[in-house]
């Protein structure tokens, strides 16, 4: 049973470009979470999704950031017009049901030049 | 609101025991997680406490006191590979997001 998959593992973008981060949850998991970890800081919740629905986006900046989890395919975290402050590790996690253990993927390390 | 505190850094000797404390103030608290994170890697699940008491899993044990807003992670028979950050996180009864503390960096010395 493969774990949570994320790609790309590393992504370099110039200021103003778009970044698209992908996450495939563990098999049988329908709950997906995105967290951001800034350098030398703790993990911060961004958004929680179930298939085709955003359940909680309270941690996601209102501008430039969006997330989706379509019926088919991976969850996507999209950052438009990236700025240097977006440089961070973005981790996706999944769980089979609510209130159950969240398992993390390897992360995507975004560097904005 | 939520406030989760854990020490920033701890050092211990190989073979010894280390206890990492975590205090929290979480309205609507439902449970507490511990994760291990090696530098540059993903957090790995260690334990999930919902009820008061001690849960033991091999060399690692986790304790929770809901009335005191307190948990600890106990690492026994330390090995060099245990050098990592240990993250305490709470989850509320309503909602599924984890709120993390800043993490405790543990350095195991020979």
């Amino acid at each position: 049973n493969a774990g949570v998959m994320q790609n790309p593992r590393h992504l370099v973008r110039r200021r103003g470009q778009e970044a698209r981060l992908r996450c495939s949850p563990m098999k049988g998991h329908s709950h997906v979470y995105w967290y951001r970890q800034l350098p030398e800081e703790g993990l911060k919740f961004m958004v929680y999704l179930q298939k085709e629905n955003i359940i909680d986006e309270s941690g996601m900046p209102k501008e430039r950031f969006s997330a989706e989890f379509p019926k088919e395919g991976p969850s996507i975290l999209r950052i438009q017009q990236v700025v240097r402050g977006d440089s961070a590790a973005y981790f996706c996690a999944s769980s089979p049901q609510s209130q159950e253990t969240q398992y993390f993927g390897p992360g995507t390390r975004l560097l904005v030049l | 609101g939520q406030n989760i505190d854990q020490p920033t850094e701890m050092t211990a000797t190989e073979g010894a025991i280390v206890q990492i404390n975590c205090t929290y103030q979480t309205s609507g608290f439902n449970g507490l997680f511990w994760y291990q994170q090696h530098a540059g890697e993903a957090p790995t699940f260690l334990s999930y406490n919902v009820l008061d008491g001690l849960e033991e899993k091999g060399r690692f044990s986790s304790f929770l006191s809901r009335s005191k807003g307190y948990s600890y992670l106990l690492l026994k028979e330390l090995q060099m590979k245990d050098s990592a950050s240990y993250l305490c996180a709470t989850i509320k009864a309503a909602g599924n997001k984890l709120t993390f503390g800043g993490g405790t960096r543990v350095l195991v010395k020979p």
Side-chain angles (χ1 to χ4, degrees):
Chain A
N1 187 11
V4 178
M5 313 267 288
Q6 288 187 250
N7 70 82
R9 296 289 302 275
H10 298 273
L11 183 61
V12 180
R13 285 287 177 267
R14 297 193 179 280
R15 279 180 297 168
Q17 290 185 319
E18 178 180 287
R20 289 170 70 89
L21 288 59
R22 294 175 191 77
C23 168
S24 296
M26 285 178 73
K27 190 176 179 182
H29 289 196
S30 59
H31 300 248
V32 166
Y33 316 82
W34 286 92
Y35 293 84
R36 177 164 67 175
Q37 189 170 38
L38 292 167
E40 303 302 320
E41 291 191 16
L43 281 155
K44 296 281 193 294
F45 167 82
M46 296 183 74
V47 61
Y48 160 42
L49 310 101
Q50 291 184 46
K51 279 289 184 182
E52 300 185 273
N53 291 306
I54 296 175
I55 308 301
D56 180 355
E57 55 183 347
S58 59
M60 197 158 67
K62 300 233 182 308
E63 295 184 358
R64 303 188 298 108
F65 285 73
S66 62
E68 62 176 13
F69 188 15
K71 189 175 178 182
E72 302 290 338
S75 175
I76 307 281
L77 179 68
R78 184 179 172 210
I79 312 172
Q80 294 177 289
Q81 299 174 325
V82 296
V83 301
R84 289 219 173 103
D86 296 333
S87 295
Y90 291 83
F91 289 98
C92 169
S94 72
S95 67
Q97 302 288 344
S98 71
Q99 293 288 315
E100 291 193 6
T101 299
Q102 296 179 22
Y103 295 91
F104 283 79
T108 293
R109 277 144 189 86
L110 172 66
L111 176 62
V112 179
L113 301 177
Chain B
Q2 299 196 57
N3 191 26
I4 300 170
D5 288 312
Q6 49 182 132
T8 306
E9 204 166 281
M10 301 180 76
T11 302
T13 306
E14 195 175 11
I17 298 173
V18 70
Q19 177 174 315
I20 306 168
N21 296 325
C22 172
T23 57
Y24 63 88
Q25 293 171 312
T26 300
S27 56
F29 172 86
N30 194 53
L32 189 140
F33 290 85
W34 284 98
Y35 286 85
Q36 179 192 62
Q37 186 178 28
H38 284 99
E41 297 184 13
T44 305
F45 169 73
L46 292 177
S47 66
Y48 178 24
N49 293 67
V50 176
L51 302 176
D52 283 354
L54 184 69
E55 292 200 6
E56 297 184 76
K57 244 189 231 182
R59 294 189 298 114
F60 292 5
S61 304
S62 57
F63 171 84
L64 177 67
S65 168
R66 296 176 69 107
S67 62
K68 293 182 179 173
Y70 167 68
S71 172
Y72 68 72
L73 181 69
L74 195 69
L75 285 61
K76 293 181 268 191
E77 300 168 19
L78 279 172
Q79 302 176 9
M80 298 299 290
K81 67 178 182 180
D82 297 330
S83 291
S85 287
Y86 291 85
L87 315 178
C88 165
T90 62
I91 190 168
K92 293 187 172 189
N96 276 332
K97 67 181 183 184
L98 296 179
T99 300
F100 285 86
T104 299
R105 194 176 304 175
V106 171
L107 178 61
V108 180
K109 293 186 172 177

